[in-house]
Structures are given as C-alpha cells and as structure tokens.
Amino acid sequence: MNKTISLACGNGGEENNELISKVFYKAFKNEILEKSEDAAIIHNGKLAFSTDSFTVSPLFFAGADIGKLAVCGTCNDLAMMGAKPKYLTCSVIIEEGFATRELDKIVRSMKKELEINGAIVVSGDTKVVPRGSVDKIFINTSGIGEVIKKGISSNNISKDDIIIVNRDIGCHGAAIFVAREGIEMTSSLKSDCESLYPQVKALLDANIKITALRDATRGGVSAVLNEWASQSNICIEVEEESIPVSDEVKGICEMLGFEATALANEGTFVLAVKKEDADKAVEILKGFPSCLKATTIGKITDTHLKKVILKSSWGTSRFLDTPSGELLPRIC
Amino acid sequence: MGLELKNLYDDFRDGNTIKAYAKIIKEDAKKLKNQINIMEVCGGHTHTIMKYGLPQLLPSNIKFIHGPGCPVCIMPKERIDHAYVLSMVEDVILVTLGDMIKVPGSNGSLQDARSRGSDVRFVYSPLECLKIANENPTKKIIFFAIGFETTTPMTAALLDAVIKKDIKNIFFHINHVTVPEVMRELIDSRDEHVDSYNNKIDAFLGPSHVSVISGSKIYEEFPRDYNRLVVVSGFEPVDVMQAISMIVKQFIEGRCELEIEYKRLVTYDGNLKAQELIERYFDKRDLFKWRGLGNIPKSGLKLKPEFKEYDAEIIYKDILPIGEIEDHKLCICGDILRGMANPPECTIFGTACKPTSPIGSCMVSSEGACAAYYKYGNLR
Ligand code: SF4
Ligand code: SF4
C-alpha cells in the first residue's frame, strides 16, 4: 500500500480494491462483509442494507444531479440484491456559503427519485463546515430494502449462465467528463442515472432465473465482469461487437483515449441469468425506454479462470482488465 | 462544434478490412526467405498491436519487436524528481500532460505529490496554462513539458504566447525528446549490446503523429545509411495491418525504402510552420537520459539560452536534485526497449511489477510494452 491515499484509490478499480481489502476488510472482517456484494444481506436473508456517499463534481450535469444520484445509487445497490428499496437515511455535509436555492433543487430531485423507488427517508443529519473543508456538498445515503428474491449472488455464476447488459454503456462517465472539462460539444450525451428497481421488479415478476446482478458504477462494466470472474472462479468471454456503446460515448473515448467499458455508469447493470431465460430477460428489459439496446454480451467458459476475455470481430482475443489508476487522458 | 468522430474510427477498425489484410500478408509472407522483425518505435503502436491482438493474425515469420516507446515511459527518475521538487515549492502550480502524473520518481509520482499537498494539474493542451496563470496571478506556473515531436510545437506555441503577451508567471521545464536519435542509437551504438540487437531489427514502423509535424523526411537516413526500411503508419489496427503488408511487399520485391501508410495527414515535409516554431525556441541537448536506455546524444531539447528567464531548470537550479539514479536491478526494461527481450522474460513481470506498482518504465505508462502485455495478455 502507498503511504498516502491517492485519488486512484477511489477509482472503483484495482487500487480501490486494494485499499478496501488491506485497510477496511482487515479491520472489520466478518462473514457478511466478506461476501463483497452490492448490499449486505442481513436479518436471516430478509433485508438488504447498503450505504454510499456522493461527491460528484459538477453538482448538476446532463441527465441528473447529485441528489438524483444519491438516491439512485443506494436504491440500485439494494435492487441488485433482489430487494425492494424501502427506508433511506440521508446525511449532508455542506460547505458554508452554499446557495439554498441549489440545495432545494437537489432535495427536490431526491424526492422525485424516492417516489420512483417507493422508498422514504426516515432519518437524516446535516453538517455545515467552513469554506474549503468540502467541495460544495457531499451527500451520504444508506438504505434498507426488503429482499424479494433470495439467493442472488455474484459468487454463484456458472456455465449455465449468460451475461446480459441492460443498455448502452459509459454514458454517465462520459457526460461527467464533458461537464467537468468543459469540452464543447453539442450532443445528446446524458448521464444514464436512473433507478433500476423497476427493471429488476419486472424481471422478478416474470420469474426470470437470475444468478447475479450488479450495477456498473465506478470501474464500469469491466470492473463488474472482472469481480464476477474472480468471485465465481470462472472465465467470462465477451464479444466486443455486442457491447452496446453510443456514438457519443465512442467519440469521447476516442478523443481522450478511454475505453467505454471502464467508464462509470449510474443506471447500467450487468446480469447473469440462466441460459434458458436469457432471451426473455432481454425482451423484458427492452420494454423500458432507456433499455432499447439491452442485449446478451457474453458467456461463461473455463479457458482462463478469474479472467475476462474480449473477442474482436476479426478473430483475435485479449484480456479485458480491471481499470486501474485515475482515468487520465493520454498524452498524444 | 458538433461531434462527428464516428468516421474517424469506424473504417479503420473494421473487422473485414483487418481480416482481408491478414489474408494478404499471410499469402505474401510465404514468399519471404527469412523471418522479418518489425520494430514499432512508439508505445502507441505497441498498445494498438496488443489491444487488437494483431500478432495473432500474422504468420510466424513476421514478428513485432517493441521499441523505445513513449516520452512517458522513458522519462528518467531524475527528471520526475525535478518535477516533484518544483511542485513542492510554496507558490508553484506544476502543470503537465495526462499520464505523466502517474510516473513514479524516487519520492513518488506527481500524483503522490498532489496527495501530499502540492498543486499539480494536468491539462489537455499546454495553452491551458494561460488560463491557469491568469486565474492565479500570485502563483508561478511551471509547465513540465514532455513528449516527442508531436507535443513540442504546442509547448513552443505556449512560450510564444507568453512572450507576446508579456506574461510573467509561466515557466518551463523542458523534457521533449526526438525519435530519429533513439532509433539511430538502437542500431548504431557501440556498447556490449550491439551484436545481439544490431541484426535483429529489419524494419521500423514510424509513428504517424510524429511525422504529421516533422514529415517523413526525418527517417530518410534509415533505408539509405542503415538498410532498414521505414513505413510511417497510423495507429488504428487497419493502419498497422496495411503498414505491415507494405513492409512485407518491400522485402519480397527487394526494396528498402521510406514509405508512408498514413497518407491522410503525413507528408514528406510535415508541418513547416510548427518546425519553424520549434527551431525558434529550442536547442538540442548534448545528452538526454532515457529511462532504461541511458544517455542518448542529441535526443532531447532545451530552451535556447536567450529564453533563460523562462527556464525553470535555470531559475530553480539551486533546489533541483542532481546525481544519477540507478534502475532497479531486476528490471530488464533496457533490453525490452532495445527490442532484445519480451516482457514476460522479466522475473518480476506481473508479480512485484504491475501497472499499479510499476518498477520499470515499460510498466509505467499505459503504453509501455510491459503494461500492454499485463493488461491485454498475449493470447493466441
Ligand atoms: S503517449 Fe502514447 S502515443 Fe504518445 S508518444 Fe507515448 S506511446 Fe506514443
Ligand atoms: S516487468 Fe517491470 S521491472 Fe520487469 S522489465 Fe517490465 S517494467 Fe521493468
């Protein structure tokens, strides 16, 4: 471990994993935590419990704002465990001088998103700190959900499963980059930020046999696939051409030298479902306006255990690695 | 501005075109008498070759040798230590380009410096320094300039603006390097390595972005004086496959010439205006140390003496560390950069040395050969 914490330690990739395992897991060690799922399953499997903090900059961007993000983020973590989001807490740390009007706007968008999930905020906390102590506003939300479907876990994926993604990937990460770096661009590029519970519910209502779900937030789709490959001790083989990426996101990646699979998402999730249900699951997802591009992207093999292999349309293959480091544009 | 990047990549990554080239190369390669070793000089090519799995498409008598690569990978610890020290100065904002902030020096990287409280920023274009300087009139902005011929004109353009606008708080630490000198070194140098690699490189893949600025003319000496052909190639997989095909054709036809694959933007003369700008502000250094390769004559640039008032190396001379730093003894980057070894041959590849904790230069930049092998594997 490095002597000081760098920004890379929060990237959702390699360094982040190292920080979590070497500092937090080491100290807090217990059975539930070690499952390393999106949300902890507690109370005899009946409840899911999760927490997340939001520090995004800028606060408002195409497609969402920090408020919407703070509700979606925690609710989605619950939904990924097959749980219905029910009760949330909300802690806010505000920098002195922050405009009340903006705070109002943020809270209003939280309210709207809570309604979509059918969840309520039942407890909260507010701190105001001197200028410079935080960047404008940080929000933490924790949530409890009721598990509707038991046994969803990223540790049980097998050759009977097919990998699906619910929509085109990378929109959130790309939109944030555009907003932050002031890249001048007229495009329809918007964050994918969205509550996923409605999609999960539709799948569960249709009795789709789901093995695992995970929303591809920081670290993107490649981080999810790599975690799954190592947690379930499998090899995931993905056809590169099948991964849906919009032209705008491809364009940003081209300009800055990123890979869409490493970009963050806030309304994109990866599913492992039983083979026989794969087509049906894709059909159901396509019923949602944001998910018209839902599709099968990969299968499970045992050629390189704990690795993800990306296959090109010209017949070559390579590893798809967990993203590492801060996302930085290449030099030339 | 509307974004229409699609046609920039679509055609040049087309599966069918790549397959078609693979077929042509396979057919042609049957007529080759000997194996040919093609060195890609730039890490950008290494990256493309590994990312798109191109070796998997080539017959066994055509091999890639990974070259000296990238201004990021080859930046010696001594120079990074300079940047580190400068960034720690009270009223300094140290500015550099992307990837550079990850490269470790002996005290850590610029990223580490930033987490220890210094003000380090990365920019997409050196000209962004003007804005930073304007917003921070009481600070000194030091631009840590890196890159091959590609980025040099941008640094020159910044200096040009600084002089014309009479800006007093922007300074330069120049680390620009040039490609032909290192290529020459690989063939020409007379140290103990010579015989083992001297005969290994049969052809060079020249990086197109360098030649957009400098023209293809900078490689003239290689076919003429060294009997090594050069094809200047773009970075997309279709470009590289086409360039390989051009190289194979030359061998079959018994030619040894300088050719341009990347005709979209590269000409023989290059961008004369940019070259003139570079000449106005820069001189060659007698020696510049490359990480893993050692000192290479005339391979680096510095500001001309008449611009010394902008030269951070002169202004901060008293605090900049001097003295040489040895490379890690297990690291075989030197051999890799010279095309004599492959990353997996290093005993600490993927174990002690990984992209998150790089030991040698080839693992440092995402475009280094070791990083590319680690990241993409060498799947067949
Ligand atoms: S940054 Fe990449 S493309 Fe630019 S010179 Fe280095 S290796 Fe080549
Ligand atoms: S694996 Fe690391 S130490 Fe070994 S040659 Fe590559 S960069 Fe150097």
Side-chain angles (χ1 to χ4, degrees):
Chain A
M1 260 311 321
N2 273 339
K3 284 204 194 69
T4 51
I5 306 297
S6 67
L7 277 179
C9 298
N11 63 358
E14 192 80 34
E15 295 88 345
N16 201 190
N17 295 343
E18 194 185 340
L19 176 74
I20 293 172
S21 66
K22 293 203 176 150
V23 179
F24 294 107
Y25 277 33
K26 207 172 111 200
F28 296 149
K29 206 171 163 64
N30 66 60
E31 239 173 62
I32 303 176
L33 187 65
E34 263 159 20
K35 291 225 169 70
S36 182
E37 305 274 12
D38 273 346
I41 294 300
I42 53 172
H43 208 67
N44 289 327
K46 288 203 197 85
L47 299 179
F49 186 22
S50 181
T51 185
D52 211 336
S53 299
F54 299 84
T55 60
V56 67
S57 162
L59 301 177
F60 302 90
F61 48 89
D65 58 57
I66 188 170
K68 181 175 179 184
L69 215 51
V71 173
C72 287
T74 290
C75 290
N76 287 351
D77 282 347
L78 298 171
M80 292 302 111
M81 299 308 294
K84 180 190 176 324
K86 296 211 85 155
Y87 306 108
L88 261 67
T89 64
C90 165
S91 295
V92 192
I93 302 178
I94 310 170
E95 186 183 21
E96 98 183 284
F98 192 73
T100 319
R101 198 167 39 90
E102 296 208 332
L103 184 61
D104 226 30
K105 219 166 128 191
I106 291 169
V107 173
R108 258 183 287 131
S109 73
M110 293 181 80
K111 175 168 184 260
K112 200 162 139 209
E113 213 54 35
L114 284 163
E115 279 159 13
I116 294 174
N117 284 280
I120 52 175
V121 168
V122 291
S123 174
D125 179 52
T126 312
K127 298 270 186 311
V128 178
V129 296
R131 203 181 279 276
S133 311
V134 295
D135 185 10
K136 298 189 187 88
I137 184 168
F138 290 172
I139 302 179
N140 169 280
T141 52
S142 298
I144 288 188
E146 182 189 343
V147 175
I148 304 176
K149 171 85 175 83
K150 281 195 185 177
I152 292 181
S153 163
S154 35
N155 297 295
N156 299 335
I157 303 165
S158 73
K159 278 195 191 164
D160 301 331
D161 294 305
I162 288 283
I163 307 290
I164 294 173
V165 63
N166 74 324
R167 55 166 294 151
D168 55 315
I169 67 169
C171 298
H172 178 71
I176 291 289
F177 250 99
V178 168
R180 189 180 301 160
E181 306 298 340
I183 296 170
E184 266 178 59
M185 222 181 54
T186 47
S187 80
S188 49
L189 189 62
K190 277 203 322 217
S191 166
D192 61 345
C193 182
E194 185 180 20
S195 289
L196 294 173
Y197 177 68
Q199 295 174 35
V200 173
K201 181 168 185 300
L203 294 169
L204 292 178
D205 286 349
N207 260 322
I208 299 292
K209 290 190 229 45
I210 300 174
T211 309
L213 298 173
R214 182 158 287 183
D215 56 341
T217 53
R218 280 169 318 154
V221 168
S222 56
V224 173
L225 296 176
N226 273 286
E227 279 163 33
W228 281 5
S230 84
Q231 284 180 336
S232 294
N233 195 29
I234 47 170
C235 172
I236 301 180
E237 292 190 17
V238 176
E239 301 289 337
E240 185 164 22
E241 282 222 317
S242 68
I243 304 176
V245 186
S246 70
D247 286 344
E248 279 92 353
V249 171
K250 269 193 195 154
I252 295 288
C253 288
E254 226 23 61
M255 262 164 68
L256 303 175
F258 296 152
E259 286 196 63
T261 46
L263 289 179
N265 308 278
E266 288 296 341
T268 299
F269 68 120
V270 188
L271 306 82
V273 306
K274 290 283 167 260
K275 270 183 191 154
E276 64 265 27
D277 281 357
D279 291 343
K280 201 167 148 207
V282 170
E283 250 354 277
I284 294 171
L285 288 169
K286 282 191 170 161
F288 290 83
S290 59
C291 300
L292 298 174
K293 293 199 190 139
T295 183
T296 295
I297 58 167
K299 58 175 190 205
I300 316 299
T301 67
D302 45 22
T303 46
H304 286 83
L305 293 183
K306 298 189 193 292
K307 290 276 190 188
V308 180
I309 293 176
L310 198 65
K311 302 169 101 177
S312 73
S313 65
W314 49 90
T316 62
S317 26
R318 58 139 162 136
F319 291 141
L320 179 67
D321 200 21
T322 309
S324 77
E326 222 179 300
L327 272 189
L328 291 170
R330 63 161 166 248
I331 311 284
C332 43
Chain B
M1 139 186 116
L3 189 75
E4 270 299 343
L5 284 161
K6 195 169 156 56
N7 8 20
L8 262 183
Y9 52 82
D10 256 15
D11 297 347
F12 306 107
R13 242 168 252 179
D14 175 57
N16 291 327
T17 318
I18 297 174
K19 276 194 221 150
Y21 272 118
K23 214 168 138 204
I24 296 173
I25 295 170
K26 262 196 193 113
E27 277 308 307
D28 285 350
K30 288 185 189 148
K31 300 179 208 141
L32 287 172
K33 287 191 217 74
N34 301 311
Q35 166 170 323
I36 48 181
N37 301 312
I38 303 167
M39 172 176 272
E40 78 276 5
V41 182
C42 166
H45 278 142
T46 309
H47 196 76
T48 301
I49 289 163
M50 297 303 295
K51 177 167 170 185
Y52 298 103
L54 302 186
Q56 299 165 38
L57 299 174
L58 296 180
S60 58
N61 56 349
I62 298 178
K63 287 259 159 26
F64 286 112
I65 305 181
H66 310 304
C70 167
V72 176
C73 332
I74 60 86
M75 193 60 59
K77 282 194 177 168
E78 290 86 343
R79 307 294 291 179
I80 296 159
D81 286 358
H82 278 194
Y84 189 99
V85 167
L86 291 173
S87 80
M88 288 290 176
V89 175
E90 230 340 271
D91 54 353
V92 160
I93 301 176
L94 189 101
V95 180
T96 189
L97 301 178
D99 254 3
M100 192 65 223
I101 77 169
K102 293 195 282 198
V103 183
S106 43
N107 304 309
S109 63
L110 289 171
Q111 211 165 356
D112 297 325
R114 191 176 59 187
S115 69
R116 286 168 202 148
S118 68
D119 195 346
V120 175
R121 306 188 189 178
F122 71 85
V123 292
Y124 297 94
S125 149
L127 290 175
E128 290 171 48
C129 288
L130 296 172
K131 192 167 156 242
I132 299 178
N134 192 18
E135 285 165 1
N136 299 278
T138 60
K139 300 260 170 129
K140 300 201 168 70
I141 318 302
I142 301 180
F143 181 60
F144 188 75
I146 57 163
F148 282 133
E149 287 86 338
T150 338
T151 52
T152 319
M154 299 197 284
T155 306
L158 174 63
L159 179 56
D160 200 52
V162 165
I163 292 173
K164 286 195 177 120
K165 296 187 174 149
D166 196 26
I167 296 169
K168 294 287 179 222
N169 62 336
I170 296 184
F171 305 90
F172 293 79
H173 189 287
I174 302 294
N175 303 276
H176 287 296
V177 286
T178 50
V179 171
E181 283 68 22
V182 69
M183 289 168 64
R184 204 179 298 142
E185 158 84 11
L186 293 182
I187 312 177
D188 211 21
S189 70
R190 291 284 173 254
D191 63 13
E192 75 275 16
H193 293 304
V194 171
D195 288 334
S196 30
Y197 65 79
N198 189 22
N199 302 316
K200 249 179 125 178
I201 306 165
D202 301 306
F204 285 108
L205 211 57
S208 58
H209 57 2
V210 164
S211 284
V212 169
I213 305 291
S214 312
S216 63
K217 61 183 178 209
I218 55 169
Y219 302 118
E220 245 172 3
E221 60 184 296
F222 297 100
R224 191 188 57 216
D225 306 339
Y226 297 96
N227 198 31
R228 306 293 201 284
L229 67 91
V230 178
V231 174
V232 176
S233 163
F235 286 92
E236 294 297 336
V238 169
D239 288 323
V240 175
M241 291 299 281
Q242 185 183 352
I244 303 293
S245 165
M246 290 166 72
I247 291 174
V248 173
K249 288 230 153 69
Q250 285 207 36
F251 275 94
I252 299 174
E253 292 163 16
R255 292 182 288 125
C256 178
E257 293 166 16
L258 168 59
E259 287 185 299
I260 304 172
E261 178 276 334
Y262 195 78
K263 295 226 169 77
R264 309 203 277 285
L265 285 171
V266 172
T267 59
Y268 175 79
D269 281 321
N271 182 338
L272 294 173
K273 248 178 95 188
Q275 292 165 30
E276 187 211 315
L277 206 57
I278 295 174
E279 253 151 51
R280 188 178 325 151
Y281 294 114
F282 297 105
D283 271 344
K284 294 230 157 193
R285 291 175 196 264
D286 292 334
L287 285 176
F288 189 83
K289 183 172 174 185
W290 292 51
R291 190 166 179 155
L293 285 178
N295 284 309
I296 301 180
K298 307 284 180 208
S299 65
L301 301 180
K302 61 179 180 195
L303 287 182
K304 287 195 168 157
E306 58 261 45
F307 306 109
K308 64 174 186 299
E309 61 190 292
Y310 302 100
D311 194 335
E313 261 184 280
I314 294 175
I315 298 167
Y316 292 95
K317 195 158 141 254
D318 297 339
I319 57 164
L320 293 180
I322 36 173
E324 300 260 312
I325 303 167
E326 288 297 309
D327 288 321
H328 193 282
K329 40 180 191 324
L330 289 175
C331 174
I332 58 165
C333 278
D335 289 352
I336 290 173
L337 296 172
R338 285 167 197 274
M340 292 170 54
N342 252 328
E345 291 170 38
C346 173
T347 50
I348 48 177
F349 172 81
T351 52
C353 183
K354 290 194 229 180
T356 46
S357 52
I359 288 189
S361 51
C362 302
M363 196 62 99
V364 164
S365 146
S366 55
E367 313 207 346
C370 292
Y373 273 69
Y374 183 86
K375 203 168 168 199
Y376 301 128
N378 195 12
L379 303 175
R380 287 256 164 196

